[in-house]
Amino acid sequence: MSSLMEAVRAGHTATVVDLLDEMTDAERRSVVPELKALRKELRTAPWEADARRAYSPLFVAGVACQTGAAAVATWIAAADMRWSQTSPALLLRLLGDRSQEWLADLTHRLAQRPATSGVPYELMAGLVWLSGCPVPATDAYVRGWMGHLSWAVQRKGTLLDRLRPDPHLPQLVAALFETNDIGGLLEWPRGEGPDSWTGALVRLTAEGVLDRKVMVDACVARLLRGGTTTEHRVFLRLLKLLELTRDEERERTADWLALASDAVSPVASHAQSLLAAPALDGELAPRQLAEMSAAVLFRTEKKLVRAQLVLLGKVLTRDAGTAEELLPAVAQAFGHEDSDVQERALKLVERHVKKVENADVHAELAAEAEQLIPGLRARAAQLLGTAPAAAAPVAYEEVLPPVPVLTRLAPAPVSAAEAAEEVGAAMASEPGVAGFERALDGLVRHAYRDREALLEALQPVLARRWWNSADYDSESRFDGADFAVSDAEDGLDLLLATLRGRVRLKTLHAFVQHGSTARECGHSGLARAFAARLWEVAYRLQTDPLPFLLSTPTWSTGLLEPDELVDRLDEYRRLGARVSPADFAQALLRVRRADRAAAVRAAERAAALGTPEGTRLTDWLSEPGPGLPTARRRIFGSRILLECGELLELQQDFPAEYRPLGRPVSVYGDRWYCYHWSDAIRQHWLALLPERRELVAARMLRDLSAVAVDDARGAAAVLPQLAESGGEAGEAVHRCLAYGLGARHPEDRLAAVDALLTLAARGQLDTARLGADLGQLVRRGAVKPLRLAESAKVAAATGANATIWEMLRHTLPVLLAELATNGTAASARGLGELLAVAAECAERSGARGEIPHLAQTADRRGSSRLVTQARRLRSALSPEAAA
């Protein structure tokens, strides 16, 4: 081993540098293979002391000994070399004797690397100085430059002071506007003074260090290009701080028109404000203003639309000659989703239509007026002198999604390889009920047939599991109180570890004999039942493997056909297999009893088996459909929750771990020690009791309330499965749905809308109950009206106008009564939006009738959103009176 390699392995960087200084180029090249071999060796154990000691001198030697710029750039930017902690100054010293052309090549190769490569800016900047090459305007270089200046807190002076002497400032600032996702760096440090990026750039522009026209053009171009919210905010702030003159604004009229039409709301609003003065001064041609208005009035942001209508009104008042070009643009707002915007546009047309003499313009306005809501449409017809077309009345038809079709589980995996694939897929992502049950049944079947073949097929899956390491004491991990089968992945891990011999038999036996020792919480009944079958299956894998599972469902909801269960019990009898109590208990809870004819036929077949399980199944199928416990409401802060009584049929003749399913549910159960954090587990809880979703919903109700009350995310994802499940959709199901409709996050609200439409399509939605629940929850502050209005609007947009109206007509009286009694109400904010959705649904569905307390709200003074939408709803419900 050479002295250089000895010094590298010993970690003596200074010695390595001295040795390199004495070596010729040929000697340096000859040692490169040894350096690469050492690097490969260190990769296998990068955190060991020898590796950490050797990395810095290895890095230095590799940079100095390689001759090609590409090889040196690759060595410097390598991921395993980032921890060498070698100073850029030392690298620059080692590279200082290379030619300027070579250094320029290296500079640009390093600058072209992604910023995540971590190439130090100081190294790149030093190479630029040594080579005299143009500064590279790449993403990595610009970010490095910005970070170097922003984080140079040890230096004196402000960011402005550090920027001013930079010889490459114009080139780098120009590159800054071309760099993607740069907004976060531009916002640090924050503020607008000389120590902020925006403040410093504005000051340098004012001093003439930066060209003003270039800065303004670059800023506008960046806003036109778009980007993240942060970038819009930063570049818009910079543009405003530059304080454009009137001439500079006029030069960029085309840019403002484009931004007002297509940019994000804050940028569009600023562009709109810049166009106001030219429009009022006659510098903006009516045709240009009309084109801009057609785009802006199509936007959903009400603030922008209203501001545009105000601008159009001012221009029409100033110059009557523009009416023929601008009023058709105003009429574009007749189709806006907001009825207040429609009314504003109609008032504008009413005020200026007399200035129009062209019959074609009148015809165009009349055609656009067909988009107005019914009440405004009649006003427009009277204004324009056109009678509404006497068309035959069209009966309203509700549009609901098709009733979901149950999905039958695919047959069990035929081979061990197929079973291993199913398990691997289930472990890689949340498999759902169908995927989990197929993987589980495949494991059980093939462990019974050929355990060794199954283990061989599972090797790729086992190699990735956390417990399958030679130096990991996984047995004690499964013994520990901190392990619980709390989701599908935990359950499959338990079975795989058992097959691999990583779980002690005494651990499995203890759970089977004594059950869970976890602290109780509101979900314990569901969680214990879910875990019990898996622990018992794991125990049987070690002692007496099951030929297959009795409880594997027929359908993806967890439902099991009674004839299929009888066939399985018959096969057990033929094989002489011992039934697992937990597996059989789960099968009983899943077996379909709602179809009484099929249940009676299967009961007769089960009785003929002559086994205890056959007799038990006969008795179970002979009983009437599943009952529900008594329930009562409980107020818990702003929440309205449910407490349920007990169900004796779920406590008699069931294993101990299943009996909590029939015990009372209290809202005061201990929830602070709950470990059921997985949102995905809820669908598996539903599959425990596929004909008793009320029992599951009551235990999930607090979780669902959190998406509205606590702004939690994700719990409402189970609502579509809840709607597709079986059994009565009672108070608990509807209360869960109510909280989901008021969820903070859009994805949770969409899941609730999906569930609502599914229940409606199945004829199981009680709109009166749901509407009344929503009214009480809004009144108590648990559900915010704006969120509910958004959910209702989305549902109505699918064609379910009558369904949403029937729901809201039971919600609104509760809120309007509070408003009428107190004059104000906590729920008043957003109530106007809710009334707007109700009015839209009533108009489309042809609803008629009266809403308690609506008249008092409609008769209020003023033109607030609340009052105008109350009047609109009253007119929709009583069109004859409105006429």
Side-chain angles (χ1 to χ4, degrees):
M1 181 185 298
S2 66
S3 57
L4 177 68
M5 292 305 300
E6 290 178 353
V8 168
R9 287 185 176 275
H12 297 155
T13 304
T15 304
V16 168
V17 172
D18 292 339
L19 291 172
L20 289 169
D21 288 340
E22 298 172 0
M23 295 171 68
T24 64
D25 288 345
E27 289 173 335
R28 289 184 181 185
R29 284 195 297 270
S30 67
V31 81
V32 169
E34 293 183 78
L35 294 173
K36 290 182 177 179
L38 176 58
R39 178 183 175 188
K40 184 176 180 180
E41 176 187 331
L42 296 182
R43 282 177 184 162
T44 60
W47 303 111
E48 291 185 359
D50 291 344
R52 292 198 301 270
R53 183 170 56 245
Y55 260 119
S56 180
L58 173 63
F59 182 55
V60 168
V63 170
C65 293
Q66 298 187 91
T67 56
V72 173
T74 301
W75 188 274
I76 291 173
D80 56 331
M81 292 296 179
R82 293 179 196 170
W83 310 108
S84 67
Q85 304 297 319
T86 304
S87 72
L90 177 57
L91 296 181
L92 291 170
R93 177 198 157 189
L94 292 170
L95 296 171
D97 58 350
R98 309 288 177 103
S99 69
Q100 286 191 319
E101 292 77 8
W102 189 94
L103 291 172
D105 186 15
L106 175 62
T107 303
H108 286 86
R109 287 180 183 277
L110 290 175
Q112 290 291 340
R113 294 277 175 169
T116 53
S117 296
V119 178
Y121 165 75
E122 293 82 355
L123 175 60
M124 293 187 286
L127 289 170
V128 168
W129 182 80
L130 286 174
S131 65
C133 67
V135 63
T138 64
D139 183 86
Y141 196 92
V142 172
R143 288 179 183 277
W145 171 69
M146 293 182 69
H148 174 72
L149 292 175
S150 297
W151 292 98
V153 293
Q154 72 277 12
R155 302 182 183 183
K156 294 181 180 180
T158 63
L159 177 63
L160 176 63
D161 298 328
R162 297 191 289 274
L163 281 169
R164 190 180 281 116
D166 193 322
H168 305 294
L169 183 64
Q171 299 93 314
L172 288 170
V173 170
L176 183 151
F177 287 95
E178 300 296 327
T179 305
N180 292 325
D181 300 325
I182 205 70
L185 287 175
L186 281 170
E187 282 209 322
W188 181 264
R190 295 183 181 275
E192 296 181 0
D195 208 29
S196 71
W197 277 97
T198 51
L201 292 176
V202 169
R203 185 77 65 86
L204 291 168
T205 304
E207 294 173 0
V209 178
L210 297 173
D211 184 272
R212 179 175 177 83
K213 186 177 186 304
V214 171
M215 287 292 292
V216 174
D217 286 344
C219 203
V220 173
R222 185 54 186 262
L223 291 174
L224 284 167
R225 195 177 83 187
T228 64
T229 302
T230 303
E231 290 178 321
H232 284 127
R233 183 171 60 244
V234 172
F235 289 110
L236 179 59
R237 184 193 307 145
L238 179 58
L239 182 65
K240 289 179 178 179
L241 289 173
L242 287 170
E243 296 179 347
L244 273 62
T245 65
R246 188 68 180 273
D247 290 338
E248 288 174 327
E249 291 175 0
R250 288 194 193 99
E251 291 173 6
R252 296 166 178 82
T253 297
D255 295 327
W256 310 140
L257 289 169
L259 290 172
S261 301
D262 298 321
V264 296
S265 188
V267 177
S269 179
H270 181 66
Q272 189 183 49
S273 68
L274 294 178
L275 289 167
L280 292 172
D281 292 343
E283 298 172 3
L284 193 65
R287 177 185 55 80
Q288 290 179 301
L289 181 57
E291 291 175 356
M292 167 198 174
S293 299
V296 174
L297 295 177
F298 187 74
R299 298 180 66 128
T300 57
E301 300 97 327
K302 298 173 189 176
K303 183 179 178 181
L304 285 176
V305 173
R306 290 169 183 168
Q308 192 67 20
L309 290 175
V310 169
L311 176 60
L312 287 168
K314 290 179 178 179
V315 174
L316 285 165
T317 301
R318 183 191 59 81
D319 185 358
T322 61
E324 290 190 357
E325 282 200 79
L326 295 186
L327 283 185
V330 173
Q332 297 290 318
F334 288 173
H336 198 275
E337 61 182 13
D338 185 0
S339 64
D340 285 352
V341 170
Q342 293 185 18
E343 187 169 11
R344 285 171 182 262
L346 181 57
K347 286 180 178 178
L348 198 54
V349 172
E350 288 173 336
R351 194 177 304 128
H352 298 284
V353 72
K354 293 179 181 179
K355 302 172 183 177
V356 177
E357 298 179 359
N358 191 319
D360 291 339
V361 174
H362 276 270
E364 186 176 351
L365 293 174
E368 294 290 348
E370 291 300 316
Q371 302 179 78
L372 291 166
I373 61 175
L376 298 179
R377 198 181 308 146
R379 276 174 55 184
Q382 184 177 3
L383 170 70
L384 299 171
T386 59
V394 179
Y396 172 76
E397 184 176 353
E398 185 83 342
V399 178
L400 293 172
V403 176
V405 178
L406 292 180
T407 304
R408 182 180 282 272
L409 260 67
V414 175
S415 65
E418 185 182 351
E421 289 178 5
E422 290 285 339
V423 173
M427 301 296 278
S429 62
E430 169 51 45
V433 173
F436 172 67
E437 293 292 343
R438 274 202 84 218
L440 184 60
D441 192 37
L443 280 177
V444 171
R445 287 175 182 269
H446 290 282
Y448 176 81
R449 294 174 188 172
D450 191 338
R451 185 189 189 99
E452 295 306 319
L454 176 62
L455 280 170
E456 183 177 352
L458 284 170
Q459 282 307 313
V461 180
L462 298 175
R464 297 191 295 269
R465 303 318 298 166
W466 53 267
W467 42 262
N468 195 36
S469 173
D471 57 351
Y472 188 83
D473 186 8
S474 57
E475 289 187 345
S476 63
R477 172 68 172 87
F478 285 101
D479 280 348
D482 57 336
F483 177 79
V485 178
S486 56
D487 56 25
E489 185 179 4
D490 288 340
L492 291 175
D493 264 326
L494 175 65
L495 298 188
L496 291 174
T498 302
L499 283 170
R500 187 71 176 79
R502 295 283 182 174
V503 186
R504 296 186 179 97
L505 180 59
K506 70 175 185 178
T507 300
L508 300 171
H509 184 263
F511 192 97
V512 171
Q513 289 295 312
H514 306 295
S516 173
T517 58
R519 191 158 185 168
E520 295 289 313
C521 69
H523 310 108
S524 292
L526 300 167
R528 289 173 65 176
F530 176 78
R533 180 176 60 138
L534 294 165
W535 280 100
E536 195 163 288
V537 167
Y539 176 69
R540 292 290 295 270
L541 284 176
Q542 281 208 21
T543 58
D544 182 16
L546 299 168
F548 52 83
L549 292 176
L550 295 172
S551 57
T552 301
T554 308
W555 306 100
S556 59
T557 59
L559 203 60
L560 173 59
E561 291 299 332
D563 279 333
E564 195 166 337
L565 179 54
V566 174
D567 290 341
R568 293 174 186 174
L569 285 174
D570 190 23
E571 181 66 11
Y572 260 63
R573 181 184 59 80
R574 188 186 68 80
L575 294 172
R578 183 168 58 88
V579 171
S580 166
D583 183 36
F584 183 56
Q586 179 61 86
L588 291 178
L589 294 176
R590 284 178 169 169
V591 71
R592 186 199 293 267
R593 291 197 290 170
D595 184 346
R596 296 308 303 153
V600 169
R601 289 194 301 270
E604 293 173 354
R605 291 184 56 213
L609 292 177
T611 62
E613 290 77 23
T615 302
R616 175 78 171 100
L617 178 58
T618 299
D619 295 340
W620 183 255
L621 292 174
S622 300
E623 294 175 4
L628 293 176
T630 57
R632 61 176 178 172
R633 297 185 175 194
R634 283 284 193 181
I635 306 299
F636 202 87
S638 63
R639 292 170 166 86
I640 303 177
L641 303 176
L642 287 178
E643 289 190 334
C644 297
E646 63 179 353
L647 274 179
L648 293 178
E649 67 171 344
L650 293 184
Q651 299 183 59
Q652 297 168 349
D653 301 324
F654 273 93
E657 291 297 282
Y658 283 82
R659 292 172 194 164
L661 292 172
R663 291 176 187 155
V665 176
S666 170
V667 301
Y668 301 105
D670 192 348
R671 57 187 286 265
W672 303 111
Y673 296 92
C674 178
Y675 57 88
H676 307 105
W677 306 300
S678 170
D679 293 328
I681 188 58
R682 296 186 183 93
Q683 61 184 313
H684 297 284
W685 289 344
L686 278 170
L688 293 174
L689 298 159
E691 284 192 326
R692 300 170 186 259
R693 57 182 163 190
E694 271 290 294
L695 295 182
V696 183
R699 289 167 167 82
M700 297 193 302
L701 185 54
R702 186 189 287 273
D703 299 338
L704 268 296
S705 70
V707 301
V709 178
D710 303 325
D711 294 349
R713 186 195 296 267
V718 74
L719 287 174
Q721 287 88 13
L722 183 64
E724 293 176 17
S725 192
E728 181 181 338
E731 191 168 2
V733 170
H734 283 79
R735 190 68 52 74
C736 286
L737 180 58
Y739 283 118
L741 292 172
R744 161 67 176 83
H745 298 285
E747 62 270 27
D748 285 320
R749 293 199 298 271
L750 284 174
V753 169
D754 187 3
L756 182 150
L757 297 174
T758 298
L759 287 172
R762 298 181 70 185
Q764 297 170 341
L765 182 67
D766 187 337
T767 52
R769 167 180 273 164
L770 178 60
D773 281 349
L774 284 167
Q776 293 298 330
L777 290 173
V778 171
R779 189 179 67 83
R780 297 190 62 82
V783 167
K784 292 180 171 56
L786 282 173
R787 297 176 185 174
L788 174 59
E790 184 62 31
S791 296
K793 185 177 179 180
V794 171
T798 67
N801 292 284
T803 299
I804 298 305
W805 164 247
E806 286 299 317
M807 177 186 80
L808 292 179
R809 81 181 183 90
H810 292 91
T811 302
L812 292 173
V814 181
L815 308 180
L816 294 174
E818 186 180 19
L819 193 66
T821 303
N822 302 327
T824 58
S827 58
R829 185 175 181 274
L831 184 52
E833 296 296 329
L834 208 54
L835 284 166
V837 178
E840 180 82 11
C841 292
E843 290 165 353
R844 291 183 180 276
S845 65
R848 298 291 182 268
E850 295 184 1
I851 295 293
H853 312 290
L854 177 63
Q856 293 95 314
T857 306
D859 290 337
R860 285 185 165 205
R861 294 180 180 179
S863 58
S864 66
R865 177 79 165 163
L866 175 65
V867 174
T868 57
Q869 293 305 319
R871 292 169 184 165
R872 177 189 174 191
L873 178 56
R874 182 173 63 178
S875 299
L877 295 175
S878 305
E880 300 81 6

